[in-house]
Amino acid sequence: MLHHALNLDMVTLPRDSAWPGPLSLAVAFNEVVLIEGAGLAESLPLLDVAATLASPASGHVRHWGRDAALRRREKLYRLRRRIAYISPRQVLLHLITLGENIALGPCYYQGCSEAEALAPHADLLELLGLNTHLTQYPPQVSAAIYARAVWARELVKGPELILAVIEGDLATTAGAARLAHVLRDHLARNGAAALLLGESLEAFYPLGHRLFRLEAGQLRKQTILEHRARPLTAYLPLI
């Protein structure tokens, strides 16, 4: 248990029947777990519970070995700073620019300026194609740019656990390829555990350590064919 960033132990999700009940799923340190066949409606109940935004009907949700339900409120807020939760439901503040939205967390916690907050993340912003949009306001940009800005805002926090549903433009061939590149770079630089859900996650197979498919209320383990050519040293961080 202490070797997992996230552990869902015999969890029954609230008001949901798409998932196995009870559900047990663990994500190890620096492991990337992929779940296909989960659209937005199926993904949100699981991610809400995993991110501590909702309580399970039964079972335990543990982050880094500690039960989230037993944490005091201030400890829970600190825990959420270590988690990136990304879904189409996440919103940006419309009265400030994209750059200010992305820098908001570091500015608040570190007491720095927007420029100081964004400087260490120039490569991330470049990979996401956001540099020319930082002075625009959220209502002024396309849905694709908006979604990338949400990812940027979460990743600049340096999260230790990434929980995300891949939807919309980021689920297209080009969008998924861009995001896979961003995640590959982020994980190589910072390390993090990740749980990614979506209808199809083929673009993320090279990053994944385990792949599941949600089918008829069951979570079925799948083989990632790309792993047959992967050197054994790629698995050493999980030992």
Side-chain angles (χ1 to χ4, degrees), residues 68-86:
L70 301 180
R71 293 176 182 260
R72 297 194 303 273
R73 178 173 296 185
E74 63 272 19
K75 297 286 187 181
L76 199 58
Y77 289 154
R78 293 193 190 114
L79 169 68
R80 289 172 181 160
R81 287 171 54 187
R82 302 170 67 185
I83 299 173
Y85 175 26
I86 306 161

Side-chain angles (χ1 to χ4, degrees), residues 16 49 60 93 140 163-164 179 202 206 210 213 226 237:
D16 181 76
V49 166
H60 299 276
L93 299 176
Q140 297 175 324
L163 305 170
L179 184 56
E202 187 173 356
R210 285 186 293 149
R213 183 155 192 88
E226 282 83 351

Side-chain angles (χ1 to χ4, degrees), residues 6-25:
L6 173 68
N7 191 305
L8 305 180
D9 183 15
M10 300 294 286
V11 163
T12 301
L13 299 176
R15 304 179 302 281
D16 181 76
S17 59
W19 295 88
L23 170 66
S24 291
L25 177 69

Side-chain angles (χ1 to χ4, degrees), residues 126-206:
E126 179 66 28
L127 288 174
L128 286 169
L130 292 174
N131 282 326
T132 59
H133 300 282
L134 295 178
T135 58
Q136 294 179 289
Y137 291 84
Q140 297 175 324
V141 301
S142 67
I145 296 300
Y146 190 106
R148 291 185 219 163
V150 171
W151 271 90
R153 183 188 63 185
E154 293 299 302
L155 292 182
V156 299
K157 297 190 310 184
E160 298 169 58
L161 174 62
I162 299 170
L163 305 170
V165 53
I166 311 300
E167 278 277 314
D169 177 77
L170 294 175
T172 65
T173 300
R178 180 193 291 271
L179 184 56
H181 189 184
V182 168
L183 278 174
R184 184 183 300 110
D185 183 77
H186 179 83
L187 296 175
R189 289 171 182 261
N190 306 289
L195 176 62
L196 307 181
L197 294 86
E199 292 287 0
S200 176
L201 299 173
E202 187 173 356
F204 304 92
Y205 286 0

Side-chain angles (χ1 to χ4, degrees), residues 66-113:
R66 297 190 60 185
D67 196 325
L70 301 180
R71 293 176 182 260
R72 297 194 303 273
R73 178 173 296 185
E74 63 272 19
K75 297 286 187 181
L76 199 58
Y77 289 154
R78 293 193 190 114
L79 169 68
R80 289 172 181 160
R81 287 171 54 187
R82 302 170 67 185
I83 299 173
Y85 175 26
I86 306 161
S87 82
R89 195 171 60 184
Q90 303 299 96
V91 298
L92 301 172
L93 299 176
H94 285 196
L95 296 181
I96 59 177
T97 66
L98 257 62
E100 291 169 328
N101 267 282
I102 295 167
L104 188 59
C107 287
Y108 178 79
Y109 290 111
Q110 300 170 20
C112 58
S113 68

